[in-house]
Amino acid sequence: MNLIDVKNLSKRFPMGKGEFTALKDINLTIGKGEFVGLIGPSGSGKTTLLNILGSLDVPSDGEAIVLGNSIGALSAKQSAMLRKESLGFIFQSYNLLQVHTVYENVEFPLLLLKLPAAERKKMVMDALAWVGLTDKAKSKPPQLSGGECQRVAIARAMVKRPSLVLADEPTANLDAANSHNILKTMEALNRDLNTTFVFATHDEKVIGYLRRKIFLLDGSIDKDEVVEHSKIAAS
Amino acid sequence: MKLAIKLAYRNLIGAGLRTWLNVIVLSFSFVVIIWMKGVLVGWDYQAKNDMTNWEIGAGQYWHQTYDPFDPFTFTDSHAPIPQELFSEVESGDIEPMLVAQATIYPQGRMQPITIMGVRPSQRIFMLPTSRLDSLTSAIPAVIGNSVARNLKLNVGDYVTIRWRDAQGMFDAADVVIVDVFSCNVPAVEAGKIYIALDKLQSMLMLPNQASLLTFADAEKERPQVEGWTLKSKEELTKSVDDLIKTKTVGQSVFYMILLLLAMLAIFDTQVLSIFRRQKEIGTYIALGYTRRQVVGLFTVEGAMHSILAALVAAVYGMPFLIWQAKAGWTMPMDVSDYGMAMAQTLYPVYSIGLVLSTVLIVVLVTTVVSYWPARKIAKMNPTEALRGKIQ
């Protein structure tokens, strides 16, 4: 069963007196457990597509069905529910809550799900263990390095075990060593938990890890290829 | 809501100095508003208490033509003490007073004065009337501080007074000042000299007559008495209520300024927060909050400033307010000439209602002020908020 089903999707933004077309007639499907990247230069529409898949935006035309929900037809409340229950986000600039501790940042999605305190604690500690940050639970983001912040963001995205994680340029602010660490962590989570990862990236380091590459150019899919031997697969 | 409170608390505590600056400004408003209102309540309480103790007792019967603000009515404002009140007069539960207009001649000068005849044995007023029983070569009299100061009279001084009796004949006699008292009710002191009731009755040739009958018992049902007007304590203290009401309106302007300053701090913080914390807002939405819930979170954050402020105010405000209630607030200028029942030192009185209503008003206003800028979040595009791109 497909996790994501995009049919004839277009997205236009008002620009001055006219409109700017960010996505044109996109058709794609993504299945469970995929480790897929939307690849393209700036302005190719990858972040726009990722935002629509994350129900943060809606298509102008066509349809995006994510986990059985047609994004354009969801109410604000239903969209929020979909993000809360089934989606995880990882952002380029981490988007951690600066005044909260690492533990509180990771706990946040579970608070929204109203899980009991004991269960929350176990899940948060598990997530921190996945990313190797158990000893930083009481630290606050300003006390962490960029790589550590991104690992916290991964833990936050993964803590509720979502079906789909959407990562927008997750390594753009990281050095090579940190990028590889992060990607290995995500790949391991993809393998162990069978979570689907969709990246928006133009970073070669990320591209090397992908098992499927969807190339976007000027808002259209230019190429969609499955990689036989990704770095992780090779290792 | 529980989650919003929890998150708002974390956000506020995490924001550190910025939060505490707002909280301290707001807590200052709490303390000052409660203190100022407490002073007014204390003044009201003190003024009414002083009036009860010095002037009006638990209420009065006035002779039907008596008007304290028109001395020309004094000549005819007297009548025999009503038969039905005799027993209470005998027992001292009702105190008759006779009022007459006269002229006093201190150091050869001539000034109008009101002679108040009161029994030396009376127990209703705090006036030092027992001194009116002194054996002296002139009529013993007591006066208030302000009269003593204005007429330059001291205890032991002799002074001549002149009056007209019931027949319209002028007569004069010397009085000797046997005591000078001080009270906070200007109407008791101003332009008045107190002598023994029986002496004044004989001077005016009005035996057994009175102008005012003051009763001690507030609980007892008072009948209407022909020729006399019943004045309840509430009626007699209405002037104080009116004055306090006027002062309350004046002070409200001050509260408003205080509140506005505090609200400005909150509003400013909220507006700044919404612009500075766009990414955070976007993140909340990405993690599963609806925009309405984010508006709620920011509103709770703003409102929580006032809750924290109430707690901070309690820490330093309570000792201050308690100390003020005990030590009182002494006004820097002399208030004896203000013409209103006001003590030089006012003792604030705080009620639970006063504290709760102040807290409630401040919390409500803060919530509204927090909600106002937070509404902007509802119009934010989450994808732009996530990148911090909203201008």
Side-chain angles (χ1 to χ4, degrees):
Chain A
M1 180 200 159
N2 291 330
L3 213 66
I4 296 171
D5 203 347
V6 177
K7 293 174 194 164
N8 308 319
L9 183 145
S10 295
K11 178 68 184 177
R12 293 182 295 276
F13 294 105
M15 181 181 266
K17 287 179 182 172
E19 278 186 333
F20 166 72
T21 303
L23 294 171
K24 279 182 285 195
D25 201 27
I26 302 285
N27 287 283
L28 66 91
T29 55
I30 297 173
K32 185 152 178 64
E34 284 203 53
F35 203 70
V36 57
L38 305 170
I39 303 162
S42 294
S44 58
K46 53 190 188 297
T47 299
T48 305
L49 181 54
L50 206 70
N51 285 336
I52 292 172
L53 298 180
S55 77
L56 292 169
D57 209 343
V58 289
S60 304
D61 290 317
E63 200 175 19
I65 297 169
V66 178
L67 297 161
N69 300 284
S70 175
I71 298 299
L74 295 178
S75 66
K77 209 171 171 181
Q78 287 167 329
S79 286
M81 190 68 82
L82 175 66
R83 292 191 296 271
K84 184 164 70 177
E85 290 180 349
S86 310
L87 304 185
F89 287 89
I90 299 168
F91 304 100
Q92 175 181 340
S93 51
Y94 329 127
N95 287 41
L96 299 179
L97 304 173
Q98 296 297 309
V99 299
H100 293 210
T101 62
V102 165
Y103 182 95
E104 289 164 349
N105 265 285
V106 178
E107 186 192 26
F108 188 86
L110 306 179
L111 285 173
L112 294 183
L113 292 171
K114 296 180 179 152
L115 296 180
E119 195 178 341
R120 282 203 312 264
K121 189 173 180 184
K122 188 184 176 308
M123 292 172 81
V124 172
M125 294 319 287
D126 283 349
L128 288 176
W130 294 335
V131 296
L133 282 177
T134 315
D135 57 330
K136 301 277 186 185
K138 287 181 181 165
S139 303
K140 289 191 175 176
Q143 299 167 314
L144 304 177
S145 67
E148 287 171 329
C149 282
Q150 196 59 297
R151 275 147 68 193
V152 177
I154 294 169
R156 184 178 65 184
M158 292 302 299
V159 69
K160 62 188 174 194
R161 317 247 174 139
S163 309
L164 175 63
V165 171
L166 302 166
D168 189 7
E169 305 278 12
T171 56
N173 288 345
L174 302 177
D175 57 31
N178 267 316
S179 296
H180 287 298
N181 279 335
I182 293 295
L183 287 160
K184 280 176 190 164
T185 306
M186 288 195 275
E187 205 284 335
L189 290 167
N190 164 256
R191 188 183 56 225
D192 297 344
L193 305 176
N194 201 29
T195 306
T196 307
F197 277 78
V198 178
F199 295 86
T201 186
H202 61 268
D203 184 344
E204 289 300 329
K205 296 187 291 289
V206 179
I207 295 168
Y209 283 83
L210 299 173
R211 291 202 296 271
R212 182 180 166 195
K213 299 172 188 174
I214 300 168
F215 292 90
L216 291 172
L217 192 64
D218 295 333
S220 301
I221 293 180
D222 186 43
K223 203 161 52 172
D224 186 347
E225 63 181 37
V226 176
V227 182
E228 292 296 324
H229 299 285
S230 70
K231 275 190 186 179
I232 293 297
S235 66
Chain B
M1 181 53 107
K2 202 173 143 193
L3 177 59
I5 291 170
K6 192 172 184 172
L7 286 175
Y9 177 75
R10 280 183 185 174
N11 287 344
L12 285 190
I13 298 300
L17 191 61
R18 198 179 50 198
T19 298
W20 293 113
L21 279 175
N22 282 333
V23 163
I24 286 165
V25 171
L26 205 53
S27 74
F28 181 68
S29 301
F30 272 115
V31 174
V32 174
I33 290 173
I34 292 172
W35 177 74
M36 288 181 75
K37 283 192 168 182
V39 167
L40 275 187
V41 175
W43 177 15
D44 182 46
Y45 176 80
Q46 202 170 339
K48 284 178 179 169
N49 206 36
D50 284 344
M51 284 179 79
T52 303
N53 291 336
W54 287 90
E55 188 186 11
I56 59 166
Q60 291 179 318
Y61 285 105
W62 288 6
H63 184 269
Q64 60 189 358
T65 59
Y66 176 72
D67 178 357
F69 300 109
D70 182 3
F72 292 110
T73 63
F74 295 174
T75 313
D76 299 321
S77 299
H78 50 78
I81 295 167
Q83 198 74 38
E84 59 266 47
L85 302 177
F86 258 14
S87 63
E88 283 185 273
V89 171
E90 284 295 308
S91 65
D93 291 334
I94 286 185
E95 205 49 57
M97 286 176 101
L98 187 59
V99 183
Q101 188 62 16
T103 308
I104 193 165
Y105 297 87
Q107 296 96 37
R109 291 178 289 125
M110 184 178 81
Q111 292 211 355
I113 198 151
T114 303
I115 310 176
M116 306 292 289
V118 57
R119 291 190 300 190
S121 58
Q122 66 80 25
R123 299 186 309 270
I124 294 178
F125 309 114
M126 288 173 77
L127 291 163
T129 50
S130 60
R131 303 280 290 139
L132 298 177
D133 261 348
S134 306
L135 288 170
T136 54
S137 54
I139 302 165
V142 294
I143 54 175
N145 253 332
S146 63
V147 175
R149 197 168 55 241
N150 292 340
L151 301 182
K152 296 188 172 59
L153 291 173
N154 290 308
V155 173
D157 286 352
Y158 284 79
V159 63
T160 303
I161 54 170
R162 192 178 69 134
W163 68 92
R164 284 173 76 174
D165 65 20
Q167 312 298 323
M169 301 292 289
F170 281 102
D171 203 347
D174 278 348
V175 298
V176 58
I177 307 301
V178 291
D179 206 344
V180 175
F181 65 87
S182 175
C183 86
N184 298 321
V185 187
V188 173
E189 285 192 24
K192 283 178 180 165
I193 186 165
Y194 292 82
I195 65 172
L197 175 65
D198 55 355
K199 186 67 195 171
L200 184 59
Q201 285 171 336
S202 75
M203 284 158 62
L204 299 177
M205 297 200 295
L206 296 169
N208 205 29
Q209 296 212 13
S211 308
L212 296 169
L213 302 163
T214 305
F215 44 86
D217 187 357
E219 305 301 320
K220 195 170 172 183
E221 186 84 11
R222 291 286 160 194
Q224 292 294 336
V225 178
E226 200 186 337
W228 297 80
T229 310
L230 177 63
K231 296 277 183 184
S232 69
K233 194 172 169 178
E234 288 69 36
E235 272 179 271
L236 294 168
T237 55
K238 192 175 173 297
S239 61
V240 176
D241 290 331
D242 291 344
L243 187 67
I244 299 287
K245 229 178 257 174
T246 313
K247 291 284 166 197
T248 306
V249 172
Q251 276 202 352
S252 298
V253 176
F254 193 72
Y255 306 153
M256 287 304 292
I257 293 170
L258 266 175
L259 266 178
L260 279 175
L261 278 176
M263 296 311 114
L264 196 66
I266 301 292
F267 184 82
D268 203 35
T269 306
Q270 287 290 91
V271 171
L272 198 68
S273 283
I274 287 158
F275 283 97
R276 280 185 54 180
R277 294 166 64 188
Q278 283 179 43
K279 275 192 179 179
E280 187 183 328
I281 291 166
T283 307
Y284 287 132
I285 294 169
L287 293 177
Y289 251 22
T290 60
R291 276 178 278 200
R292 239 184 59 194
Q293 282 175 309
V294 182
V295 171
L297 173 64
F298 273 68
T299 306
V300 170
E301 259 185 46
M304 202 172 268
H305 276 105
S306 55
I307 310 277
L308 287 177
L311 295 174
V312 170
V315 170
Y316 75 87
M318 260 167 59
F320 168 75
L321 294 173
I322 291 168
W323 168 71
Q324 272 291 288
K326 282 182 183 161
W329 175 53
T330 304
M331 273 169 285
M333 68 294 275
D334 183 16
V335 297
S336 58
D337 292 335
Y338 277 22
M340 47 190 163
M342 188 181 211
Q344 189 66 37
T345 300
L346 294 176
Y347 295 87
V349 173
Y350 321 106
S351 62
I352 295 283
L354 166 65
V355 174
L356 287 182
S357 63
T358 306
V359 171
L360 197 70
I361 288 169
V362 175
V363 170
L364 272 178
V365 174
T366 313
T367 308
V368 171
V369 167
S370 304
Y371 172 70
W372 198 8
R375 288 178 312 162
K376 191 177 168 64
I377 295 167
K379 292 174 191 157
M380 272 188 184
N381 179 340
T383 60
E384 287 181 1
L386 271 169
R387 286 179 287 171
K389 279 195 169 174
I390 297 168
Q391 295 302 312

